[in-house]
Amino acid sequence: MSERRGFASDNHAGVHPEVIAAIADANDGHAAAYGGDPWTAGAQQRFREHFGPAARAFPVFNGTGANVLCLEALTQPWQAVVCARTAHLHVDECGAPERAGRKLLVVDTPDGRLTPELVAPLLVRIGDEHAVQPRLLSIAQSTELGTVHRPEAVAALAEWAHAHGLLLHVDGARLCNAAAALGVPLRALTTDAGVDAVSFGGTKNGLMGAEAVVLLRDDLGDGFKYRRKRAMQLASKMRYISAQLEALLRGDLWERSAAHANAMARRLGAAVGALEGVRVTQPVEANAVFAVLPPAATERLQRSWPFYVWDEGSGEVRWMASWDTTEDEVDAFAADVRAALG
Ligand SMILES: Cc1ncc(COP(=O)(O)O)c(C=O)c1O
């Protein structure tokens, strides 16, 4: 894959200049380690502003760590986590949830979204000591297929989960994209919808490697600070992670960056969706475009544009837009898609 800018991943984009400035500002003298610094206190305050006064935020290094910590904190070893078959947890974490001793029960979904109807058939053998006991639903916002769960859908899922003795976790690696796409505050998709815990993503939205576990209920996550350390996710110089999260949540940076990435994906989806020979396979609701095109066209395009083939079998590709994707890039890429189709 070339070094060219492209549509491979929102992780390929650099760090937002306002975040670099926040890191530079935090680089001022000495500060207490392991979260005892003012930047971490500031970030925690921002999380409370966005997620409500009960929110407890724990900065971590990466999304896999945040997810695994949430799973461990919200379940016992004999309990299972239900997620979509396409979930990052299931397909892109190299068995880290299983390494933590948690079994995943996966559900086929047409579009990456979980619903009570899709999950219900898995709620069997409750009380049977020979079977893992479903305890946690995990949804992604936005999903790995670029779709979003609307606030009312999250609320319905949370209500159903709680009525069945389950908890609801949001893998929010792209929560900002989902909220920006829907034009709602972060709490509308989480706290207000009855979500119990969130893996909050910053890295894909212009941070350098900063995520956070956000626990939304007082009665969950007993001993979480010990758990984070045991999971090797406790940063000694936490101020640099916290300063990034604080910068993201302080003003409108979270929304500005995510809304821009979403708009670029919509622009791309509209441009390529109009081409004969391209089939856009999922609604473009956040910052991803999924499409099927002839393999020969994909191969030609990949000579000059980095992007991933999502499904070798069907030829489906994934094009991700980032906070720094430009309209000119989208237009140039769409023109090259047209040319590659011959
Ligand atoms: C939905 C989702 N969750 C979590 C992650 C976090 O992964 P990482 O451990 O690479 O930060 C990603 C990254 O690709 C993701 O797409």
Side-chain angles (χ1 to χ4, degrees), residues 11 62-65 67 88 93 140 142 144 171 173-174 204 211:
N11 276 337
N62 57 37
T64 301
N67 281 343
H88 195 267
E93 297 190 355
S142 52
E144 291 77 3
D171 174 352
R174 299 187 181 88
K204 294 173 198 310
E211 317 269 314

Side-chain angles (χ1 to χ4, degrees), residues 173-235:
R174 299 187 181 88
L175 182 65
C176 296
N177 296 90
L182 293 163
V184 299
L186 297 170
R187 62 177 296 155
L189 293 174
T190 53
T191 321
D192 296 348
V195 168
D196 299 295
V198 180
S199 304
F200 177 82
T203 310
K204 294 173 198 310
N205 200 21
L207 305 194
M208 196 188 277
E211 317 269 314
V213 168
V214 189
L215 300 176
L216 296 173
R217 274 170 47 170
D218 284 344
D219 58 334
L220 292 176
D222 189 32
F224 193 88
K225 67 176 185 175
Y226 308 107
R227 222 181 257 292
R228 178 175 57 177
K229 176 70 180 185
R230 282 169 56 89
M232 297 158 279
Q233 288 284 331
L234 178 65

Side-chain angles (χ1 to χ4, degrees), residues 257-279:
S257 295
H260 174 81
N262 294 347
M264 293 303 100
R266 273 201 309 278
R267 186 181 181 95
L268 179 58
V272 297
L275 298 176
E276 205 175 313
V278 176
R279 183 168 57 87

Side-chain angles (χ1 to χ4, degrees), residues 78-102:
W78 58 89
Q79 296 177 323
V81 179
V82 179
C83 62
R85 187 176 297 281
T86 47
H88 195 267
L89 273 179
H90 179 50
V91 291
D92 278 313
E93 297 190 355
C94 197
E98 290 86 348
R99 181 173 186 266
R102 298 304 187 272

Side-chain angles (χ1 to χ4, degrees), residues 8 21 56 140 160 164 170 189 199 215 224 229 235 244 248 263 274:
R56 285 174 295 149
W160 182 87
H164 289 81
V170 170
L189 293 174
S199 304
L215 300 176
F224 193 88
K229 176 70 180 185
Q244 297 177 57
L248 187 68

Side-chain angles (χ1 to χ4, degrees), residues 78-326:
W78 58 89
Q79 296 177 323
V81 179
V82 179
C83 62
R85 187 176 297 281
T86 47
H88 195 267
L89 273 179
H90 179 50
V91 291
D92 278 313
E93 297 190 355
C94 197
E98 290 86 348
R99 181 173 186 266
R102 298 304 187 272
K103 185 171 176 68
L104 302 179
L105 300 175
V106 298
V107 179
D108 288 312
T109 70
D111 53 16
R113 288 183 266 241
L114 286 190
T115 62
E117 295 69 33
L118 289 170
V119 176
L122 293 180
L123 299 197
V124 292
R125 300 182 68 184
I126 304 301
D128 175 350
E129 72 203 67
H130 301 284
V132 284
Q133 300 292 296
R135 172 61 170 156
L136 181 65
L137 305 188
S138 180
I139 61 171
Q141 285 278 46
S142 52
T143 72
E144 291 77 3
L145 298 183
T147 54
V148 301
H149 296 83
R150 300 187 59 82
E152 55 276 17
V154 182
L157 196 56
E159 195 183 342
W160 182 87
H162 293 153
H164 289 81
L166 306 171
L167 300 170
L168 182 59
H169 164 249
V170 170
D171 174 352
R174 299 187 181 88
L175 182 65
C176 296
N177 296 90
L182 293 163
V184 299
L186 297 170
R187 62 177 296 155
L189 293 174
T190 53
T191 321
D192 296 348
V195 168
D196 299 295
V198 180
S199 304
F200 177 82
T203 310
K204 294 173 198 310
N205 200 21
L207 305 194
M208 196 188 277
E211 317 269 314
V213 168
V214 189
L215 300 176
L216 296 173
R217 274 170 47 170
D218 284 344
D219 58 334
L220 292 176
D222 189 32
F224 193 88
K225 67 176 185 175
Y226 308 107
R227 222 181 257 292
R228 178 175 57 177
K229 176 70 180 185
R230 282 169 56 89
M232 297 158 279
Q233 288 284 331
L234 178 65
S236 53
K237 293 194 179 178
M238 196 183 291
R239 61 169 142 158
Y240 298 101
I241 295 183
S242 300
Q244 297 177 57
L245 292 163
E246 209 273 328
L248 187 68
L249 295 175
R250 180 193 308 149
D252 69 349
L253 183 61
W254 70 271
E255 193 175 16
R256 205 175 351 122
S257 295
H260 174 81
N262 294 347
M264 293 303 100
R266 273 201 309 278
R267 186 181 181 95
L268 179 58
V272 297
L275 298 176
E276 205 175 313
V278 176
R279 183 168 57 87
V280 175
T281 53
Q282 294 292 339
V284 181
E285 295 180 350
N287 62 327
V289 179
F290 285 80
V292 171
L293 63 165
T298 297
E299 205 188 297
R300 272 198 290 278
L301 265 174
Q302 281 185 316
R303 284 183 210 144
S304 39
W305 293 93
F307 65 87
Y308 288 108
V309 174
W310 185 254
D311 181 344
E312 298 283 350
S314 65
E316 189 175 29
V317 298
R318 183 190 78 163
W319 297 320
M320 299 294 305
S322 314
W323 66 268
D324 70 343
T325 302
T326 66

